[in-house]
Amino acid sequence: MTDVTVGRAGRPRTVEAAFVISLAAIAVQVAVWVLGAFVVSPTGLEELRGELGRDGATRQLAVSAGFLAVLGALWLLFCFRMRAGDGRARIALTVVGLLSGLFFLNTLSTDGFRWSADGGIGDLLLTDLLPDLLVAGAIVMMFLPASNAYFSAARRDGR
């Protein structure tokens, strides 16, 4: 028998935790994009201006921001569906999270770690690893026994 600690609306705390962690991953991803585009030198905007000119850089950042907004909205939709007990949303979040992790591993295999001047690990881990770690945490929470029981019950109930 599974010991299920229930939170609000009859959902296990593990599902609530996966939801909150997923929201944090979305927020971190947006923050990382903003930092990379406008704050951390050399900014994406500076690099794009050098390659595409001012108008091209603005257009490229607008396309990138739009793409991030659409992906973020879909991710958010799946998070709410998962929280409501939709097992298909749980699977979709898992597959996308695993693919994101594979892209990170691919980046490591091609770029390696970038080391900062002070001997620490550079921006690669900040920008790529933190969101992936959050997503991995959410995936784990979605598949703990209490979560599995919740999704099984939701499937039986027709949710």
Side-chain angles (χ1 to χ4, degrees), residues 19-158:
F19 177 74
V20 170
I21 293 169
S22 295
L23 294 181
I26 294 168
V28 168
Q29 194 64 43
V30 169
V32 164
W33 184 88
V34 169
L35 288 171
F38 301 110
V39 178
V40 177
S41 187
T43 67
L45 180 59
E46 291 169 353
E47 291 177 347
L48 287 171
R49 277 187 188 153
E51 293 178 24
L52 304 173
R54 188 182 62 149
D55 290 341
T58 303
R59 193 171 29 258
Q60 182 63 35
L61 280 180
V63 168
S64 177
F67 186 71
L68 181 63
V70 168
L71 286 178
L74 285 171
W75 193 353
L76 195 59
L77 172 70
F78 283 125
C79 287
F80 277 101
R81 301 273 315 191
M82 177 274 301
R83 186 180 185 211
D86 187 344
R88 295 169 300 182
R90 175 174 74 152
I91 298 301
L93 288 169
T94 301
V95 168
V96 171
L98 292 174
L99 286 174
S100 178
L102 289 175
F103 281 121
F104 174 73
L105 291 175
N106 182 56
T107 300
L108 280 181
S109 71
T110 57
D111 292 345
F113 287 104
R114 288 179 273 194
W115 296 93
S116 63
D118 65 358
I121 295 175
D123 63 345
L124 179 66
L125 289 179
L126 170 66
T127 59
D128 290 336
L129 186 57
L130 185 56
D132 285 334
L133 285 175
L134 289 169
V135 169
I139 290 170
V140 167
M141 297 305 270
M142 287 187 295
F143 286 93
L144 288 175
S147 298
N148 285 335
Y150 173 70
F151 289 108
S152 294
R155 186 175 50 244
R156 282 191 305 272
D157 294 343

